Amino acid sequence: MSDTKKTLTILHLYPRDMNIYGDYGNILVLKQRAKWHGYKPEIIEYNPGDNFPKNVDIVVGGGGQDSGQDKIQADLHKIGPTLQKLANSDTPMLVICGLYQLFGQFFQTQDKHIIKGIGILDIETIAKSERLIGNVTIRSKQFGDVIGYENHSGQTFLNEGAKPLGTVIRGTGNNSKDMTEGACTNNVIGSYLHGSLLPKNPKIADWLIEQAATKKYGSFKPGNIDDSLVPLAREHAMKRPR
Ligand code: GLN
């Protein structure tokens, strides 16, 4: 029976070097919710030097130390054009913190060293001496209140081609100036929110799955999922001290 299920291939970018503060939880949530929606999830881990798979339905990447970002930079530029093509054809993607920054134009580290990004998101990031750390809540038009955890030195500013994911209610978000958090273009979402993000915000997980399923199979019919614990988890996370 399960062999007849429709496959959704989730590409996990750089799990070895870019995967901190619970980001792996995003993969687990997508895998489980894809199953609950009636699909057969296939997770492919991609690390530097690997062959880029032919069929990819969702791309997910996490955060990392500056050193991790340095390590993957050359490989990211190698697969950048392929990722850009996927983004142009509306493949859903979720990239957190370190990879969010590198999906942008560049990240200038504290010692003024530039790590070039692949420019899928029209954003620029410059590290400041103060790290931005703590629990965050943002308000997003598309997803309602989104809850997560941030820990970054980079401050990100959006250029014209990118729209913020939401407005900060608590915490800092992209930078200490404009109250924005995250950036979106086509079906690509970049965000500073670790935590992990998707267990507390399953609407975003379902949106990613819906985009992928609709693109691949022409339609999406949500499964009947018991989400009764989600409000409790969200409430608890929202009340935690900054
Ligand atoms: N190294 C980057 C910064 O400090 C990203 C950090 C992260 O992914 N949490 O801004």
Side-chain angles (χ1 to χ4, degrees):
M1 167 74 180
S2 65
D3 288 336
T4 64
K5 280 194 180 150
K6 296 171 172 173
T7 302
L8 285 181
T9 301
I10 300 165
L11 183 70
H12 187 185
L13 283 181
Y14 307 118
R16 244 174 14 218
D17 300 301
M18 302 295 292
N19 192 6
I20 50 173
Y21 311 127
D23 287 341
Y24 184 58
N26 293 330
I27 298 290
L28 296 178
V29 168
L30 284 170
K31 188 175 169 187
Q32 187 56 56
R33 292 188 79 86
K35 274 190 205 159
W36 283 337
H37 286 302
Y39 297 89
K40 188 176 166 206
E42 182 194 28
I43 313 293
I44 298 181
E45 297 200 341
Y46 177 89
N47 288 298
D50 287 350
N51 288 325
F52 197 91
K54 274 218 175 66
N55 299 306
V56 173
D57 302 311
I58 303 180
V59 176
V60 182
Q65 314 297 342
D66 295 7
S67 57
Q69 291 170 290
D70 260 332
K71 255 196 208 161
I72 59 125
Q73 181 188 15
D75 191 87
L76 181 63
H77 280 273
K78 202 181 74 196
I79 63 169
T82 310
L83 289 169
Q84 179 73 67
K85 257 191 225 150
L86 288 170
N88 292 348
S89 65
D90 290 332
T91 301
M93 305 191 188
L94 174 70
V95 283
I96 305 297
C97 203
L99 270 176
Y100 165 42
Q101 296 169 341
L102 298 190
F103 265 50
Q105 309 294 359
F106 63 84
F107 170 39
Q108 181 186 300
T109 64
Q110 272 195 64
D111 52 14
K112 303 267 186 295
H113 150 70
I114 300 256
I115 306 179
K116 269 189 73 190
I118 51 174
I120 289 179
L121 293 165
D122 195 7
I123 60 169
E124 299 177 3
T125 304
I126 298 180
K128 294 271 153 57
S129 51
E130 181 207 1
R131 278 193 88 79
L132 306 170
I133 305 173
N135 289 302
V136 182
T137 306
I138 67 168
R139 189 149 292 164
S140 139
K141 267 196 200 122
Q142 197 176 354
F143 303 112
D145 287 358
V146 176
I147 307 153
Y149 167 81
E150 64 184 333
N151 188 340
H152 52 111
S153 64
Q155 300 214 9
T156 296
F157 292 89
L158 275 54
N159 294 327
E160 288 204 340
K163 288 189 310 277
L165 174 63
T167 306
V168 174
I169 300 174
R170 183 168 84 124
T172 310
N174 282 332
N175 58 67
S176 48
K177 297 222 159 66
D178 64 17
M179 305 293 281
T180 63
E181 204 299 302
C184 307
T185 192
N186 290 15
N187 285 339
V188 180
I189 300 178
S191 169
Y192 272 111
L193 303 188
H194 302 279
S196 350
L197 178 71
L198 297 182
K200 296 186 281 294
N201 305 284
K203 268 189 195 166
I204 302 180
D206 288 352
W207 180 84
L208 292 164
I209 294 166
E210 177 174 1
Q211 302 316 305
T214 310
K215 177 166 154 41
K216 190 168 190 180
Y217 298 112
S219 66
F220 171 75
K221 194 171 156 281
N224 199 0
I225 301 180
D226 175 7
D227 272 338
S228 51
L229 291 177
V230 172
L232 286 172
R234 288 172 57 80
E235 224 173 275
H236 181 74
M238 242 190 265
K239 279 195 201 135
R240 297 193 59 203
R242 161 77 177 153

